Amino acid sequence: MAASGKLSTFRLPPLPSIREIIKLFRLQAAKQLSQNFLLDLRLTDKIVRKAGNLTDAYVYEVGPGPGGITRSILNAGVAELLVVEKDTRFIPGLQMLSDAAPGKLRIVHGDVLTFKVEKAFPESLKRPWEDDPPDVHIIGNLPFSVSTPLIIKWLESMSCRDGPFVYGRTQMTLTFQKEVAERLAATTGSKQRSRLSIMAQYLCNVRHIFTIPGRAFVPKPEVDVGVVHFTPLIQPKIEQPFKLVEKVVQNVFQFRRKYCHRGLGMLFPEAQRLESTGRLLELADVDPTLRPRQLSIPQFKSLCDVYRRMCDEDPHLFAYNFREELKQRKSEKKEKEDDGESHRL
């Protein structure tokens, strides 16, 4: 690692503004990719400050676009910044930044959904999970179209301690549509409480740090944008496989306005639904008339723990999908109707 004194005093030389970069390389936000550029460097500086102390840190920036946040990260005295950009139109502008910060900016043309960040940084950065977070950070102004699938992918990686989390409890500072940011941080009972709230909060300390008005972006999105900071917990609040937790939580929230027993029932085949749902709720000590948003994470933990025991008793249970059963029943009904029609003929 380079000497911290030298790194902490690094500043980029004078460069064209982000607005000028956009004009110079004739960049336009692609609507189909839900791209929105953040041009105000005071706001990009604020996002980077909220990520924590980045002096001598290794940073992975997703979706750098024309490089607004990229500049702020470089000015924060990082050891190295890795940017992964799918859109080739942005590469020349990022290369200009790389030339202005020799040895600090590494540009990868690739897709953040498939990029293997676990091989990107030095092995020496790895820390035991129980230690303080490593000097590795993820920062990004995410396109709205990938933000939810990407955070779910990273949460699953976190639960397995792979991907960006092979280095330890890597912190993330990311942008989302304000509504999604509010869901991620929503407390028990709030209207924004959702599947995302549980999946994020059972694994992380989640903070919705501040909101950026839509007018700060070009083009202006129809919504404001929330900046969210994630710090992985040393001990997850639910200690079951990610896919099992996800299945229970998804089923509960698919009927978000109904009582929770309605969604939980969909975990079981119709023939045993009533009995198994009652048993699950009784053993988990959860009131069946609570709405999904009223369930706390400890209650979800109880539900997941009991459901796991039920799956261990019945090896076919976890693979059960009520939609598949519904599809099969419809298919069988159609066959009977077709048979009846042919007999009449």
Side-chain angles (χ1 to χ4, degrees):
M1 202 179 279
S4 66
K6 185 178 176 183
L7 280 169
S8 59
T9 57
F10 173 83
R11 298 296 291 178
L12 284 167
L15 290 165
S17 69
I18 298 297
R19 205 176 286 276
E20 287 165 342
I21 291 280
I22 289 169
K23 280 184 185 172
L24 181 64
F25 294 106
R26 296 178 180 175
L27 302 173
Q28 279 190 317
K31 192 171 183 181
Q32 70 273 23
L33 298 177
S34 62
Q35 291 173 336
N36 302 94
F37 306 148
L38 188 53
L39 306 186
D40 188 337
L41 290 181
R42 289 171 303 178
L43 285 171
T44 59
D45 284 348
K46 185 176 180 181
I47 291 171
V48 171
R49 279 198 311 275
K50 296 294 184 183
N53 180 9
L54 299 186
T55 304
D56 297 353
Y58 287 73
V59 178
Y60 169 34
E61 185 190 358
V62 291
I69 294 179
T70 314
R71 294 185 185 208
S72 296
I73 295 170
L74 288 169
N75 279 329
V78 297
E80 183 182 64
L81 170 58
L82 165 69
V83 297
V84 175
E85 178 54 69
K86 187 177 183 180
D87 193 331
T88 52
R89 299 173 306 146
F90 297 123
I91 303 296
L94 292 168
Q95 191 57 54
M96 182 187 288
L97 278 179
S98 182
D99 294 342
K104 285 184 177 292
L105 178 58
R106 186 153 46 109
I107 303 164
V108 173
H109 174 226
D111 187 339
V112 295
L113 287 168
T114 55
F115 179 70
K116 303 286 187 192
V117 71
E118 59 267 38
K119 296 176 181 172
F121 295 127
E123 288 274 317
S124 59
L125 292 169
K126 292 183 177 179
R127 287 190 179 182
W129 194 260
E130 297 72 25
D131 282 9
D132 288 340
D135 287 330
V136 178
H137 292 256
I138 299 174
I139 299 176
N141 174 29
L142 304 177
F144 295 157
S145 59
V146 302
S147 62
T148 301
L150 188 57
I151 193 61
I152 289 292
K153 172 185 160 67
W154 277 339
L155 289 169
E156 183 166 9
S157 290
M158 193 185 296
S159 74
C160 303
R161 301 182 187 180
D162 62 17
F165 307 98
V166 297
Y167 304 100
R169 295 187 298 121
T170 300
Q171 296 176 84
M172 303 186 288
T173 309
L174 305 167
T175 63
F176 299 88
Q177 290 183 53
K178 185 187 174 199
E179 184 183 340
V180 176
E182 288 173 344
R183 283 182 196 158
L184 283 161
T187 54
T188 307
S190 73
K191 286 181 182 175
Q192 290 86 2
R193 189 75 158 175
S194 71
R195 170 183 74 110
L196 273 180
S197 318
I198 310 302
M199 297 310 294
Q201 292 171 34
Y202 97 85
L203 289 164
C204 300
N205 175 19
V206 183
R207 288 187 300 124
H208 178 190
I209 311 170
F210 68 102
T211 300
I212 304 173
R215 65 177 180 274
F217 294 83
V218 174
K220 178 184 177 295
E222 293 176 7
V223 294
D224 292 338
V225 171
V227 180
V228 183
H229 185 80
F230 304 84
T231 306
L233 298 167
I234 292 174
Q235 199 78 21
K237 292 179 181 175
I238 303 173
E239 296 194 72
Q240 294 294 351
F242 185 86
K243 291 295 184 191
L244 185 142
V245 179
E246 188 175 41
K247 186 178 183 185
V248 172
V249 173
Q250 275 181 334
N251 275 277
V252 169
F253 278 99
Q254 71 178 321
F255 300 110
R256 55 179 301 114
R257 293 203 169 104
K258 308 280 187 187
Y259 293 141
C260 68
H261 71 80
R262 179 79 170 84
L264 286 166
M266 298 299 112
L267 291 168
F268 305 103
E270 190 175 27
Q272 65 184 77
R273 187 164 294 156
L274 201 61
E275 182 190 345
S276 294
T277 309
R279 184 176 167 225
L280 170 63
L281 285 157
E282 185 181 352
L283 290 174
D285 193 24
V286 170
D287 180 348
T289 63
L290 289 173
R291 310 281 180 191
R293 62 188 174 92
Q294 294 174 306
L295 292 176
S296 66
I297 289 182
Q299 287 173 315
F300 271 105
K301 178 190 184 305
S302 293
L303 289 166
C304 290
D305 289 347
V306 174
Y307 179 63
R308 171 67 184 272
R309 293 206 298 274
M310 294 172 86
C311 289
D312 289 344
E313 290 167 11
D314 177 0
H316 303 292
L317 182 57
F318 185 69
Y320 169 74
N321 183 320
F322 81 93
R323 286 189 175 88
E324 291 297 320
E325 185 179 43
L326 203 59
K327 204 185 295 179
Q328 193 177 338
R329 287 217 320 271
K330 282 181 180 175
S331 174
E332 287 169 359
K333 186 181 176 186
K334 190 173 187 306
E335 277 177 27
K336 282 180 185 175
E337 287 170 354
D338 289 347
D339 284 348
E341 192 68 32
S342 63
H343 286 315
R344 281 197 294 276
L345 292 170

